[in-house]
Amino acid sequence: MRIIRLGVLVPSSNTALEPLTHAIVSSIQSKDVTISVYFSRFRVTTIDISSEANAQFEFSPILHAATLLADAKVDVIGWSGTSAGWLGFEHDEKLCAAIEAETGVKATTSVLSLNSILRGLGVISFGLVTPYRKELNSLIRQNYGAIGVDINATWDRHLGLTDNIEIGKVDEATLDGMVMDVASKGAHVLSTFCTNLRAAQRVGHWEKSASVIVLDTVASVVWGMLKIVEVDTKLVKGWGYMFEVE
């Protein structure tokens, strides 16, 4: 039996992604592989477009957190965060290269994994559901537009929050309303784009009730890590369409 350790980088104020990640991985029942998850945090408390907030994602503290995961001999490291959505996808590409150079461990991120899923599904437009401010959503839309993926303005929903603790308190009823609203406007694919949203557990419900594909960013980094360690994502049961297709 293969024993695989997943290492996950976590914003320090995030209260959602650890239990969700454990639950996703715990759905894997296999005689051939045993998977465990380990976490390391670095300081992130505020999400906005200010230089102070963006400085939270400088490489040095993230690399320090990654080296602590490497001490546990993890097989892959995933940054479970969406900052590249507004900082630019190349930020995560450079971060993964830096992590690999520093630790010798392959790395991926929520956003890079999401983009791989979008490419694999041939998606050229999708809806966006975030807890962020309008200005930050606009940057995300611009970055996707630059790679030929449209986020239609009528499919863009946000809550205007910046405090990450408050983001972690967003309830299911609020998310249900946002997702259903975007789906009702004609989006066939949408992303719950923030790893401090307690959204991944609702994906199956949304996909069934609204006939929409929901790509959650807590789930996407798990998908990406499993791809790197060559574990069949179809072993993940009950967490959405992204795990069910090649």
Side-chain angles (χ1 to χ4, degrees), residues 83-104:
S83 53
W86 56 94
L87 296 177
F89 306 136
E90 68 279 0
H91 187 275
D92 271 8
E93 292 167 356
K94 292 177 181 178
L95 175 61
C96 287
I99 290 171
E100 293 178 23
E102 184 75 18
T103 67

Side-chain angles (χ1 to χ4, degrees), residues 4-239:
I4 294 175
R5 297 177 180 140
L6 308 180
V8 179
L9 295 164
V10 186
S12 61
S13 54
N14 188 301
T15 57
L17 78 82
E18 285 164 310
L20 287 169
T21 302
H22 272 303
I24 294 168
V25 172
S26 294
S27 75
I28 297 174
Q29 302 295 321
S30 172
K31 297 181 293 183
D32 302 316
V33 62
T34 296
I35 303 176
S36 53
V37 190
Y38 304 89
F39 300 94
S40 187
R41 289 175 178 249
F42 64 96
R43 185 169 296 282
V44 178
T45 59
T46 303
I47 310 295
D48 62 40
I49 61 174
S50 69
S51 57
E52 293 82 6
N54 288 340
Q56 297 171 117
F57 303 104
E58 291 178 354
F59 285 2
S60 180
I62 305 177
L63 291 176
H64 176 68
T67 62
L68 299 180
L69 286 173
D71 287 348
K73 303 300 181 185
V74 296
D75 296 287
V76 61
I77 293 174
W79 159 222
S80 191
T82 54
S83 53
W86 56 94
L87 296 177
F89 306 136
E90 68 279 0
H91 187 275
D92 271 8
E93 292 167 356
K94 292 177 181 178
L95 175 61
C96 287
I99 290 171
E100 293 178 23
E102 184 75 18
T103 67
V105 180
K106 290 184 178 181
T108 188
T109 75
S110 294
V111 172
L112 294 182
S113 298
L114 172 63
N115 292 353
S116 292
I117 296 165
L118 292 170
R119 286 193 298 271
L121 294 176
V123 174
I124 58 173
S125 63
F126 70 99
L128 183 67
V129 172
T130 86
Y132 307 135
R133 295 178 62 183
K134 179 180 179 180
E135 296 85 353
L136 201 146
N137 269 36
S138 294
L139 287 175
I140 297 170
R141 290 172 59 199
Q142 290 174 23
N143 283 323
Y144 275 100
I147 63 170
V149 179
D150 178 57
I151 299 175
N152 189 295
T154 62
W155 299 348
D156 180 341
R157 299 292 179 275
H158 54 277
L159 294 173
L161 301 177
T162 61
D163 183 282
N164 208 29
I165 291 296
E166 294 304 311
I167 289 172
K169 296 177 182 178
V170 175
D171 60 22
E172 287 186 353
T174 299
L175 292 173
D176 286 350
M178 297 170 76
V179 168
M180 293 303 179
D181 188 32
V182 171
S184 72
K185 297 297 190 296
H188 299 293
V189 179
L190 65 87
S191 176
T192 43
F193 197 94
C194 172
T195 63
N196 203 21
L197 286 179
R198 300 178 192 278
Q201 79 284 358
R202 296 294 284 170
V203 167
H205 167 75
W206 294 328
E207 290 187 335
K208 182 178 180 180
S209 59
S211 298
V212 64
I213 296 171
V214 181
L215 306 176
D216 178 76
T217 50
V218 172
S220 68
V221 73
V222 177
W223 180 95
M225 289 190 291
L226 293 178
K227 288 291 186 182
I228 287 175
V229 297
E230 299 182 341
V231 170
D232 187 355
T233 60
K234 292 181 181 179
L235 291 172
V236 175
K237 303 297 184 182
W239 291 90

